[in-house]
Amino acid sequence: MLIDLAQLRTFVAVAEEQHLTRAAERLHISQSAASAHVRAVEETLDTQLFVRTNRNLELTPAGELLFRKAKQLLNEAVLFSSFAREMRGRVQGHLVVGSSSDLSANRLGDVISEMRAQHPLVNVDLRVRPSSGSRQGLKSGDLDVAVLLDRPTDVALEYHELTKVQFRIVGPAAWKSQIESADWESLAQLPWITPSDEGMAFSAILHELFGARGLTLNSVIGFDNATFARAMVQGGAGLTLVRLEHAIDGEREGRLAVSPLVHAEYSLHIAHLASRRDDPLIRAFVGAAGTVWPALKNSLDSVRS
């Protein structure tokens, strides 16, 4: 009996999540179906893939080897489908794109509109993911491409920089004198509105700013959406990290106070698996992004020349 791709995807998801229920939720299938898929792979290969430790499922040595091979096979299956469609003369298919919730800043709507104009047979599914979730989704095959704030350090991914994004620390306008005169330690001791998900780029930026100085933020409110955080600041709840444009607008309108001490910068990238750089769907998305983001277009042109 042959192993089908759905069973392989479930095996990979369980291996990455180390948990059957979380893997089933990620794949939008029932737990019983996920269990049946894993059992079918084990029975077909006559090999034990997992052992249970505490509450997690960990790969056996044989499972580790098969896990790496399974990810390669799934990636090859995606490439095979894309090239088959391109052979018929037009790029077509389904592209799953991961992004933060701030779509206005990354101009994702413009990119997708441009891609649809160039390649009307490509359909798009958008998923809101923090940076770490996008990286994981690209590696697991849940996402084809992602737009994310990140340091381009993951060797499994290929990054295309779109722009540099500036960040500032802001707080309620009523705290203006206190915020503008505060040093790093004083800033950290004020009430903070911080990301509840360590996978958000905002968490990484705050860690680079304060953790590297041995400081721990006095976090009083957590958030998983930057829009909520800005609303909490305007309500007088605490400090948070925002993009420069939001800081400028809020200060000009008298809603926010901005710390002159903190100037942070992070790159906004398109990312995809390095092994999929020649995938027609990926090329279509990156090409459309180059039309919207001139810096990317210049970079692509220099590589081609």
Side-chain angles (χ1 to χ4, degrees):
M1 184 174 68
L2 297 177
I3 300 170
D4 66 30
L5 293 178
Q7 293 169 346
L8 274 186
R9 288 192 188 94
T10 303
F11 164 50
V12 168
V14 173
E16 290 178 336
E17 297 289 346
Q18 295 187 312
H19 198 277
L20 196 64
T21 301
R22 288 198 297 268
E25 290 173 350
R26 189 172 106 184
L27 297 173
H28 306 290
I29 61 176
S30 67
Q31 183 174 337
S32 60
S35 179
H37 286 176
V38 172
R39 187 166 58 251
V41 175
E42 289 184 321
E43 290 175 354
T44 301
L45 300 177
D46 193 22
T47 303
Q48 183 180 359
L49 300 174
F50 297 98
V51 292
R52 182 172 292 280
T53 59
N54 297 324
R55 297 182 178 180
N56 291 331
L57 291 171
E58 294 189 1
L59 288 166
T60 63
E64 284 279 2
L65 294 173
L66 292 168
F67 167 63
R68 291 195 289 271
K69 193 64 176 178
K71 290 182 70 173
Q72 294 173 9
L73 289 171
L74 288 173
N75 184 52
E76 287 297 323
V78 172
L79 286 172
F80 178 83
S81 297
S82 293
F83 282 117
R85 287 189 291 265
E86 191 178 39
M87 285 174 60
R88 296 198 295 269
R90 304 190 72 175
V91 178
Q92 58 181 302
H94 187 75
L95 194 70
V96 184
V97 180
S99 173
S100 69
S101 56
D102 195 349
L103 301 184
S104 61
N106 60 33
R107 301 186 65 188
L108 186 54
D110 295 338
V111 173
I112 291 175
S113 294
E114 179 64 29
M115 187 185 66
R116 290 277 301 147
Q118 296 178 16
H119 308 285
L121 298 180
V122 176
N123 295 321
V124 178
D125 187 9
L126 295 178
R127 306 281 173 82
V128 175
R129 298 279 181 91
S131 296
S132 64
S134 289
R135 289 193 298 272
Q136 180 184 3
L138 292 171
K139 293 177 180 180
S140 68
D142 292 344
L143 301 177
D144 297 304
V145 66
V147 183
L148 70 164
L149 287 163
D150 200 11
R151 302 293 191 206
T153 56
D154 194 322
V155 296
L157 303 180
E158 185 167 301
Y159 294 85
H160 304 275
E161 184 176 293
L162 301 177
T163 188
K164 303 283 190 186
V165 181
Q166 304 288 327
F167 291 90
R168 298 292 185 270
I169 299 299
V170 302
W175 301 3
K176 180 178 175 63
S177 61
Q178 189 177 7
I179 291 171
E180 291 183 347
S181 63
D183 59 15
W184 286 98
E185 185 173 0
S186 298
L187 277 179
Q189 291 172 353
L190 289 169
W192 271 83
I193 303 158
T194 58
S196 53
D197 186 343
E198 289 297 318
M200 294 181 69
F202 282 31
S203 292
I205 297 171
L206 289 172
H207 179 73
E208 289 181 11
L209 291 171
F210 290 92
R213 291 177 167 83
L215 299 172
T216 301
L217 296 181
N218 175 28
S219 179
V220 297
I221 299 174
F223 70 87
D224 63 0
N225 184 295
T227 303
F228 295 163
R230 294 197 299 272
M232 291 295 99
V233 173
Q234 292 178 36
L239 276 63
T240 198
L241 182 75
V242 302
R243 293 175 184 265
L244 175 60
E245 58 268 28
H246 294 307
I248 292 174
D249 290 345
E251 186 175 43
R252 183 179 63 248
E253 295 168 5
R255 296 180 285 105
L256 300 175
V258 182
S259 168
L261 189 65
V262 182
H263 296 258
E265 182 179 84
Y266 236 58
S267 292
L268 181 68
H269 293 93
I270 289 174
H272 57 80
L273 284 177
S275 58
R276 292 187 63 185
R277 64 171 57 92
D278 293 325
D279 186 323
L281 285 171
I282 301 296
R283 291 205 309 263
F285 185 87
V286 173
T291 303
V292 174
W293 291 95
L296 174 58
K297 184 179 186 304
N298 293 337
S299 175
L300 294 173
D301 289 344
S302 65
V303 170
R304 293 187 187 111
S305 61

